[in-house]
């Protein structure tokens, strides 16, 4: 028997060897490929996988709200749909453009809009905006078309639910969520917040199954000093006054003289910040801080304050205004009438230019300038409102300039400066920083902004004298149209010619009135400026004072300020005793909760409690 | 003639012989079986967890999208509410539809002014 293996064994062994070699080579190839993919090209494939499996999305921060002093929303943000196109997926750009233009506002009416859209869709690009931040109706209409290559995304958009209300103060926000005017601009960094980021993990079908978020930080909300209801009333009355006078525009400011809070600030013409692009910059301007004007006779309050504070004049000091004019060099300044000899109180009451100039001369240029600056003129007062002008105050005053400044010419002020200055008279001599923002609310924590006194302007004694003198203006002077029954009012009218191209225009005026009410314990200071009145008259007493009265009536009622002249008797008679007494303890009167003890109203013993007058039905009491 | 060969099968009776069970080996076998079962259970549990995680990932994503949609609706409704509360609109309805007029000077008498106190500094307010 031979030792050599059988033939079949050798054959099997060769074949097994061949198979083993093949398997070995295959394994080596696989291993080599794996090393190539996982070691050599590791970074590349990791990045590629991340691109396919992960999407990084920017989470835009929600802009904070702007609220009025009672928490009413004046500006807020909400999602809006943006329509975009993928032009490379659109086969027929003309048909797509036509279909879109049938439902998109703006495109329907404008051929230029349509041509621009067609051009965007015709370019072979991967992305093009069709229209950003459309209305829900437009988005629904476009979605219903189900067009190839048209997509939708969400963007945050700013909305102003009250439309024109307070628009010049609030400002507006651009398409990229950046504040472009008003408080939106000043407080942009506070309101805007910080964008977040989200990494979304998707599967092969691009369905998200996991995510890692860095959430956005919501912007802070602003609580304003503005009362939206008062603001509406002020805008309504100012608009009525501007229309009645056929004027170019107007400004009205209501200020709390005790802390500098602006309760209402109206500027006409105005605009709708939801569609700010449709309005010219002229409409978007906040005239209360961005426009300067020569205040005219309202500035005589500053001249008088300086004279009283320096002890140069008293209200009884006689001033001879008899010629009805005064010559300063070759320049002649006239009064409206020949007043003769007037007390200084009457100089203000009758708004005599001659008397004011003579008082100004007694004060002197240097002292006058000191008081002008002390009252805040020539400098910006409020940090809240962008574009505030400092006004124009001359560094030195010669005789002619002193005469002009004494009666409110050759000096330019903003309406805000004027109301702040008169508020300092109203509160006894403290000049407060006028402010519109009352508190900042971040993450539910309200941080108030405290009132800030800039400086003392005059002593309380001078302020009291000024109050009495300004009361005379309303009682017997040029501002009788500002009188309100039951309230004492201190104020001053002003009428100044406008300057155009460096020349005073005789027939264009700024008519104004500034005052505070009730004068002995002021609740508000109100300024009204009417720009270029053409009907009714041209003076502040005729044009602005009635607007002041109407605004003040609403403000006093809204703030529940009791009358200080001939007040309601403290003891009531008949059925009213029971009704009012009961209401004082359990109801609210005129919408204001009253918690005073009944004894402050009546000393009579209370009998069976009467029912409160029910406030049923929407129809309120009409005029008697 | 070849010799007749035969073999008589010897009848061996081994019925009484009992194979001895190796207890140690049996214990080892059962121990191994238990370990294998444990590993298998762990593997199944791990796989189940993995798939549950993915499932809940999808579910979470759906819910987050639903929440975002609800929040968006909420914001729009709040916006609508604020638009409906506009003072201009309310006044227009009061005047034109209800025939109301502003109160005259004698229609409202204020007996005493009660001013609301300011909220305290750094107060916490309800988020909207």
């Amino acid at each position: 028997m031979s030792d050599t293996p059988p033939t079949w064994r050798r054959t099997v062994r060769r074949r097994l060897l061949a198979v083993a070699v093949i398997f070995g080579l295959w394994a080596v190839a696989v291993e080599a490929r794996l090393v190539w993919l996982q070691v050599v090209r590791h970074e590349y494939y990791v990045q590629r996988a991340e691109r396919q499996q992960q999407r990084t999305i920017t989470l835009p921060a929600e802009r904070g709200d702007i609220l009025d002093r009672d928490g009413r929303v004046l500006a807020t943000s909400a999602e809006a749909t943006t329509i975009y196109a993928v032009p490379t997926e659109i086969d027929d750009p003309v048909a797509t453009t036509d279909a879109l233009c049938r439902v998109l506002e703006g495109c329907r009416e404008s051929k230029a809009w349509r041509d621009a859209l067609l051009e965007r869709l015709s370019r072979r690009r991967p992305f093009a905006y069709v229209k950003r931040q459309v209305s829900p109706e437009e988005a629904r209409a476009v979605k219903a078309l189900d067009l190839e290559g048209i997509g939708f995304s969400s963007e945050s958009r700013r909305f102003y639910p009250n439309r024109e209300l307070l628009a010049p103060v609030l400002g507006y926000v651009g398409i990229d969520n950046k504040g472009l005017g008003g408080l939106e601009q000043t407080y942009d960094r506070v309101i805007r917040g910080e964008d977040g980021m989200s990494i979304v993990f998707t599967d092969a079908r691009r369905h998200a199954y996991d995510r890692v978020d860095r959430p956005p930080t919501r912007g802070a909300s602003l609580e304003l000093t503005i009362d939206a209801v008062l603001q509406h009333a002020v805008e309504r009355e100012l608009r009525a006054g501007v229309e009645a006078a056929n004027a170019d525009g107007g400004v009205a400011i209501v200020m709390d003289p005790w802390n500098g809070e602006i309760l209402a600030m109206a500027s006409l013409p105005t605009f709708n910040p939801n569609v700010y692009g449709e309005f010219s910059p002229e409409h978007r301007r906040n005239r209360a801080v961005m426009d300067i004007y020569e205040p005219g006779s309202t500035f005589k309050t500053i001249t008088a304050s300086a004279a009283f504070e320096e002890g140069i004049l008293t209200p009884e000091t006689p001033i001879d205004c008899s010629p009805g004019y005064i010559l300063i060099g070759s320049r002649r300044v006239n009064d409206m009438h020949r007043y003769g000899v007037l007390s200084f109180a009457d100089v203000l009451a009758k708004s005599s230019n001659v008397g004011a100039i003579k008082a100004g001369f007694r004060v002197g240029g240097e002292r006058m300038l000191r008081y002008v600056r002390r009252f805040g003129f020539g400098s910006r007062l409020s940090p809240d409102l962008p574009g505030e002008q400092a006004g124009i105050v001359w560094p030195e005053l010669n005789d002619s300039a002193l005469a002009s400044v004494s009666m409110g010419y050759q000096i330019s002020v903003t309406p805000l400066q004027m109301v702040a200055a008169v508020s300092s008279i109203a509160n006894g001599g403290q000049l407060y920083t006028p402010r519109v923002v009352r508190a900042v609310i971040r993450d539910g924590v309200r941080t108030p902004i405290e009132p800030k006194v800039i400086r003392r302007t005059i002593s309380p004694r001078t302020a009291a004298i000024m109050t009495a003198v300004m009361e005379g203006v309303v009682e017997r002077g040029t501002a009788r149209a500002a009188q309100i029954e039951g309230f004492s009012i201190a104020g001053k009218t002003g009428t100044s010619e406008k300057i155009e191209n460096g020349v005073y225009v005789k027939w264009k005026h700024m008519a104004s009135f500034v005052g505070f009410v009730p004068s002995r314990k002021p609740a508000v200071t109100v300024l009204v400026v009417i720009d270029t009145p053409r009907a009714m008259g041209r003076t502040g007493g005729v044009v602005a004072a009635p607007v002041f009265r109407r605004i003040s009536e609403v403000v006093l009622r809204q703030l529940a300020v009791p009358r200080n002249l001939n007040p309601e008797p403290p003891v009531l008679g008949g059925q009213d005793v029971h009704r009012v007494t009961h209401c004082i303890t359990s109801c609210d009167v005129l919408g204001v909760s009253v918690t005073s003890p009944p004894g402050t109203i009546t000393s009579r013993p209370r009998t069976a409690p009467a029912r409160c007058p029910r406030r049923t039905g929407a129809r309120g009491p009409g005029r008697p | 003639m070849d010799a007749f060969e035969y073999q008589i099968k010897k009848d061996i009776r081994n019925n009484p012989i009992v194979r001895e069970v190796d207890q140690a080996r049996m214990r080892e076998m059962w121990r191994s079986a238990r370990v294998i079962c444990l590993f298998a259970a762990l593997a199944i549990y791990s796989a189940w967890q993995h798939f549950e995680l993915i499932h809940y990932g999808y579910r979470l994503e759906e819910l987050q999208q639903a929440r975002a949609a609800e929040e968006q609706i909420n914001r729009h409704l709040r916006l609508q509410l604020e638009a409906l509360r506009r003072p201009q609109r309310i006044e227009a309805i009061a005047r034109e539809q209800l025939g109301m007029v502003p109160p005259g000077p004698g229609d409202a008498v204020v007996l005493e002014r009660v001013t609301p106190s300011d909220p305290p500094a750094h107060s916490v307010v309800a988020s909207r």
Side-chain angles (χ1 to χ4, degrees):
Chain A
M1 201 171 164
S2 167
D3 287 341
T4 55
T7 310
W8 66 270
R9 277 186 183 273
R10 286 201 303 272
T11 306
V12 167
R13 193 175 292 162
R14 276 201 304 271
R15 287 178 182 175
L16 280 175
L17 191 64
V19 169
V21 168
I22 290 168
F23 268 100
L25 288 174
W26 174 76
V28 168
V30 168
E31 290 296 327
R33 181 66 179 159
L34 283 175
V35 168
W36 174 256
L37 292 177
Q38 296 192 5
V39 178
V40 180
R41 302 279 286 167
H42 177 79
E43 286 299 319
Y44 169 76
Y45 282 106
V46 164
Q47 287 175 8
R48 193 168 161 184
E50 282 177 355
R51 278 204 302 273
Q52 288 179 353
Q53 296 165 4
Q54 296 177 12
R55 277 183 293 150
T56 303
I57 300 170
T58 302
L59 303 174
E62 194 182 337
R63 211 172 163 82
D65 292 343
I66 300 180
L67 315 168
D68 85 338
R69 65 188 298 125
D70 293 324
R72 297 181 190 93
V73 176
L74 301 172
T76 188
S77 294
E79 298 289 312
T81 306
T82 284
I83 304 171
Y84 66 87
V86 183
T88 50
E89 293 181 6
I90 297 174
D91 297 326
D92 188 351
V94 175
T96 304
T97 303
D98 288 341
L100 286 170
C101 279
R102 276 196 291 274
V103 293
L104 287 178
E105 285 177 24
C107 192
R108 272 191 302 244
E109 302 84 16
S110 167
K111 188 176 181 301
W113 212 101
R114 184 195 171 281
D115 292 343
L117 178 60
L118 179 60
E119 190 196 343
R120 284 202 298 275
L121 300 190
S122 301
R123 287 184 197 160
R124 308 311 289 170
R125 287 185 179 176
F127 183 87
Y129 280 118
V130 173
K131 192 177 179 184
R132 295 181 74 176
Q133 300 181 354
V134 299
S135 65
E137 294 76 26
E138 283 179 291
R140 271 196 295 272
V142 175
K143 277 178 188 168
L145 294 173
D146 195 22
L147 296 169
E148 195 73 27
I150 299 296
F152 304 88
S153 64
S154 287
E155 282 185 303
S156 182
R157 183 185 168 184
R158 201 65 164 161
F159 289 96
Y160 302 87
N162 293 289
R163 300 181 192 173
E164 290 86 1
L165 191 84
L166 198 65
V169 176
L170 295 176
Y172 49 97
V173 170
I175 200 122
D176 293 321
N177 225 13
K178 191 165 185 287
L180 297 179
L183 292 170
E184 297 276 22
Q185 183 183 351
T186 310
Y187 285 88
D188 189 52
R189 291 182 67 181
V190 178
I191 302 175
R192 200 196 309 173
E194 194 180 333
D195 287 350
M197 198 178 69
S198 179
I199 300 172
V200 181
F201 298 91
T202 57
D203 60 13
R205 290 176 295 171
R206 309 289 288 171
H207 289 169
Y209 64 86
D210 198 5
R211 66 165 64 207
V212 178
D213 285 345
R214 192 191 73 199
T217 307
R218 192 182 193 279
S221 292
L222 298 182
E223 180 188 299
L224 304 190
T225 59
I226 299 290
D227 183 323
V229 176
L230 281 188
Q231 177 70 26
H232 163 65
V234 170
E235 287 186 11
R236 181 189 63 205
E237 299 302 340
L238 179 66
R239 185 173 290 109
V242 166
E243 286 173 2
N246 193 19
D248 286 349
V251 171
I253 303 174
V254 180
M255 185 176 186
D256 185 336
W258 301 102
N259 52 24
E261 289 184 354
I262 305 290
L263 301 177
M265 180 181 271
S267 171
L268 290 177
T270 186
F271 69 105
N272 181 351
N274 293 307
V275 285
Y276 65 91
E278 296 176 8
F279 294 85
S280 68
E282 182 74 12
H283 287 73
R284 299 201 292 251
R285 209 173 66 235
N286 184 1
R287 292 163 175 253
V289 294
M290 298 169 92
D291 277 12
I292 54 174
Y293 72 108
E294 290 188 318
S297 298
T298 51
F299 204 77
K300 290 170 185 166
T301 51
I302 310 303
T303 308
S305 295
F308 292 145
E309 183 73 9
E310 294 294 324
I312 297 165
L313 296 171
T314 66
E316 295 78 29
T317 305
I319 294 182
D320 184 9
C321 310
S322 50
Y325 67 89
I326 186 169
L327 290 171
I328 302 122
S330 60
R331 185 172 151 222
R332 175 175 162 149
V333 179
N334 296 316
D335 267 342
M336 296 282 280
H337 307 284
R338 288 185 181 181
Y339 293 117
V341 178
L342 294 174
S343 68
F344 188 54
D346 280 343
V347 165
L348 260 73
K350 299 186 185 304
S351 201
S352 164
N353 291 334
V354 175
I357 290 170
K358 286 187 174 179
F361 281 147
R362 289 207 201 174
V363 172
E366 192 183 330
R367 272 194 295 206
M368 177 64 92
L369 272 181
R370 200 163 67 235
Y371 278 91
V372 165
R373 297 207 179 276
R374 198 182 281 184
F375 272 97
F377 298 106
S379 57
R380 294 179 184 87
L381 294 181
S382 176
D384 291 340
L385 301 163
E388 185 190 355
Q389 299 293 309
I392 300 171
V393 176
W394 288 48
E396 287 181 6
L397 299 178
N398 58 23
D399 281 353
S400 176
L402 177 58
S404 297
V405 169
S406 300
M407 58 178 184
Y409 278 89
Q410 219 163 318
I411 183 169
S412 293
V413 306
T414 64
L416 188 70
Q417 287 173 337
M418 197 69 225
V419 78
V422 173
S423 286
S424 82
I425 297 173
N427 67 29
Q430 301 275 32
L431 180 67
Y432 279 92
T433 300
R435 62 203 176 99
V436 180
V437 179
R438 196 184 186 205
V440 176
I441 302 169
R442 188 186 291 280
D443 298 330
V445 177
R446 179 182 181 277
T447 308
I449 296 171
E450 299 298 332
K452 190 177 163 192
V453 177
I454 300 174
R455 67 180 77 88
R456 174 163 284 283
T457 53
I458 50 175
S459 66
R461 183 176 174 278
T462 304
I465 295 169
M466 276 304 300
T467 300
V469 169
M470 290 168 74
E471 282 174 355
V473 176
V474 179
E475 285 167 12
R476 60 180 190 280
T478 54
R480 271 171 280 198
Q483 290 174 358
I484 301 172
E485 191 187 343
F487 292 94
S488 64
I489 298 171
K492 184 72 192 81
T493 55
T495 311
S496 60
E497 291 174 1
K498 286 180 74 174
I499 299 176
E500 281 187 0
N501 303 321
V503 180
Y504 284 107
V505 182
K506 291 283 178 195
W507 55 276
K508 285 190 174 180
H509 296 86
M510 298 293 281
S512 60
F513 182 86
V514 60
F516 44 94
V517 57
S519 57
R520 299 303 166 103
K521 190 183 174 189
V524 287
T525 306
V526 180
L527 167 75
V528 176
V529 181
I530 305 290
D531 181 2
T532 321
R534 296 184 182 85
M536 289 171 59
R538 58 182 179 80
T539 62
V542 175
V543 178
V547 180
F548 168 90
R549 177 177 52 77
R550 289 197 296 273
I551 288 175
S552 297
E553 280 174 350
V554 176
V555 170
L556 292 169
R557 191 166 58 237
Q558 185 68 23
L559 297 181
V561 179
R563 52 200 293 173
N564 66 328
L565 298 179
N566 304 318
E568 290 296 310
V571 178
L572 305 174
Q575 254 188 334
D576 289 343
V577 173
H578 312 299
R579 199 179 60 188
V580 172
T581 306
H582 181 59
C583 284
I584 289 296
T585 54
S586 60
C587 306
D588 66 356
V589 177
L590 303 172
V592 178
S593 293
V594 179
T595 54
S596 320
T600 58
I601 300 299
T602 176
S603 57
R604 293 184 184 189
R606 201 148 52 110
T607 54
R611 289 176 66 85
C612 293
R614 287 197 303 164
R615 290 181 293 173
T616 54
R619 188 177 293 271
R623 287 185 186 280
Chain B
M1 189 176 168
D2 293 338
F4 179 73
E5 289 181 9
Y6 65 92
Q7 186 179 2
I8 299 170
K9 188 179 177 184
K10 189 179 178 181
D11 186 17
I12 300 170
R13 292 185 177 274
N14 60 356
N15 290 349
I17 298 172
V18 178
R19 189 180 176 190
E20 190 182 353
V21 175
D22 186 345
Q23 293 295 336
R25 202 175 154 197
M26 283 296 287
R27 279 199 299 274
E28 194 178 335
M29 188 191 77
W30 281 113
R31 195 184 301 136
S32 300
R34 279 198 295 272
V35 169
I36 289 167
C37 285
L38 182 66
F39 275 110
L42 282 176
I44 291 168
Y45 179 69
S46 175
W48 176 76
Q49 270 195 329
H50 176 71
F51 289 114
E52 280 293 290
L53 188 68
I54 292 174
H55 169 73
Y56 279 112
Y58 284 120
R59 182 88 184 112
L60 191 66
E61 193 65 29
E62 282 173 19
L63 289 173
Q64 281 182 342
Q65 285 179 6
R67 190 183 73 168
E70 294 295 334
E71 282 176 351
Q72 189 175 339
I73 291 169
N74 183 35
R75 279 195 291 272
H76 279 287
L77 287 173
R78 193 159 69 89
L79 186 62
Q80 209 172 342
L81 178 71
E82 294 299 334
L84 291 171
R85 287 173 57 188
R86 269 190 320 134
Q88 300 98 311
R89 177 181 170 276
I90 291 170
E91 184 179 315
I93 291 171
R95 280 177 186 273
E96 293 159 19
Q97 295 179 19
L98 304 176
M100 296 172 81
V101 293
D107 293 341
V109 177
V110 180
L111 300 177
E112 183 183 352
R113 187 182 187 199
V114 180
T115 51
S117 57
D118 285 336
H122 294 279
S123 55
V124 177
V125 297
S127 59
R128 298 181 65 85

